């Protein structure tokens, strides 16, 4: 996919650095390129729900924000992306020391960008797909 | 709707009290009855994304967990509910001092429970619908 | 909700009259107003799936097209709406002589319109909610 | 993926042969294996919406039924699958002489099966992804 912004890396880094909820959660941008983004999360006790699994809300935040990173690589320098909607399937109980997410743009566009996010739990060195999301994002002019 | 568990209030309170991510987020159970659940969140800087709105992940967590509360009022005492999937539409930028969520069960069931969650942002005393979610939950036996 | 098109009734009628798949299915526009639309379908053998229920695809078509009708009441005279995505929960097996759908706009907008559709099956004079959908639509200029 | 039914091919063929809506639409099972299913549709005027594109309802039916075929390859001989919910993104206007759909099971399960369906439009010999769906299906005992 083609980016329209030579500084897309800095722009996407900023949506990780400047989002307090993402910093608080501990979600880290690990790699990115035109149309895709990878993130990591070291699982801590605070991420869990009542049964000891990683909370669906943590997985959803990761899927959504990483999709925002992937879509953010494709918009113009005066634009940002906002999530219009997403759907996530929680496929297995998320157990592990770390979560990893890869988001990929399925369809770029001027009005809407559709991305998919896969969330993997890593436990004892083995990686399992625990959630998959489809995210619809809208590019909007900054400061509007 | 009919509950099958006379102690449903305690059971649902427990999924709020025992979920570290929910305590960390500051999500509070405010009221509940058979087939519905209400929650509140005092918005803090840590809940925001890069533009100063409440992060979609916070809204999603609230919608999901409150739906879990609503569904939890309907299951047997030896059961709990797990989210199978959800879809959320972010209707407006979420700006406010507080978020409020009401979840209502649309369809109870032995295998699947479908609930809807509405998230409202309260700003200057005015309440606006900022997100709406549909959540599919599966009752499962505890300890399985 | 406010319409921007005094001829919105004719415009929405046209998207029912001019859509061959809708005519072939037998889906009929029954009533509409700013931000909402109602449709009816007389169930015929051709609408069924292998178990004798109305096929999920029929319910989905009804939910989608009726949402398009509801959204269509709100756009300008030089615009039409296209579905960007939808999600439907099939709540109960759809059995009946007739299906009825009501779609309501949850959030109007210049770029995106979000509507909800409820599908009811009518059997022996009793009406049951069989499906509920959330539909995201994009207003686009005609002839583009 | 492993099938539990040596006659899975016949069983899945039956859900195509015995579903009147699928026959009426012209949706044809083209190939299948454990955990996947392919279908074809020759586009006719009756499949179109008001702008001349294939109706979203046709694409949704194809995505849903083909996912049912993929999930159907994995259930026991005394079971069938029913769609609990699905979400579809319409990525591009669907224009073409033929549609092709491939559904793949993302997560098998005793209670829920999650599948993904991709719909392609074929025009002038070129294939384009026009829609993608995520489908949640529930295995149920036949005759219940």
């Amino acid at each position: 996919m083609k980016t329209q912004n030579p500084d897309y890396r800095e722009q996407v880094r900023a949506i990780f650095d400047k989002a307090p909820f993402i910093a608080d959660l501990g979600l880290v941008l690990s790699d990115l390129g035109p149309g895709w983004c990878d993130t990591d999360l070291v699982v801590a006790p605070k991420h869990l729900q009542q049964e000891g699994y990683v909370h669906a809300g943590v997985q959803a935040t990761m899927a959504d924000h990483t999709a925002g990173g992937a879509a953010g690589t494709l918009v113009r320098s005066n634009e940002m992306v906002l999530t219009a909607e997403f759907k996530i399937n929680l496929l297995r109980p998320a157990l592990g020391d770390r979560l990893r997410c890869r988001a990929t743009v399925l369809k770029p566009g001027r009005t809407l960008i559709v991305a998919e996010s896969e969330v993997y739990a890593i436990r004892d060195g083995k990686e399992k797909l625990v959630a998959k999301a489809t995210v619809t994002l809208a590019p909007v002019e900054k400061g509007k």
Side-chain angles (χ1 to χ4, degrees), chain A:
Chain A
M1 278 177 200
K2 278 182 209 159
T3 181
Q4 307 169 76
N5 177 5
D7 301 325
Y8 75 87
R9 289 179 169 273
E10 288 66 38
Q11 189 154 347
V12 172
R13 288 216 172 267
I15 68 171
F16 281 80
D17 295 345
K18 294 185 181 163
F21 187 58
I22 294 311
D24 187 73
L25 202 68
L27 184 63
V28 175
L29 174 62
S30 47
D31 203 359
L32 80 167
W36 62 272
C37 183
D38 285 358
T39 57
D40 274 287
L41 180 82
V42 175
V43 174
K46 73 165 183 174
H47 296 124
L48 307 180
Q49 42 82 283
Q50 59 280 6
E51 305 296 319
Y53 310 137
V54 178
H55 198 286
V58 174
Q59 300 176 61
T61 301
M62 202 171 179
D64 166 55
H65 206 83
T66 311
T73 65
L74 301 181
V75 298
R76 299 170 187 210
S77 57
N78 64 332
E79 288 178 329
M80 55 169 194
V81 291
L82 289 178
T83 301
E85 64 84 35
F86 69 87
K87 185 247 204 280
I88 185 165
N89 278 66
L90 291 318
L91 302 168
R92 293 176 180 86
L95 282 168
D97 321 308
R98 250 178 64 209
L99 295 190
R100 201 173 65 75
C101 179
R102 161 152 297 196
T104 323
V105 171
L106 191 63
K107 170 70 176 64
R110 286 292 303 138
T111 318
L112 292 175
I113 297 172
V114 179
E116 291 188 304
S117 298
E118 296 189 327
V119 181
Y120 297 86
I122 297 153
R123 194 187 183 191
D124 302 332
K126 279 180 200 157
E127 204 171 280
K128 268 197 177 174
L129 181 68
V130 290
K132 178 143 190 189
T134 308
V135 187
T136 308
L137 305 113
V140 291
E141 263 187 65
K142 285 180 192 168
K144 270 216 168 170

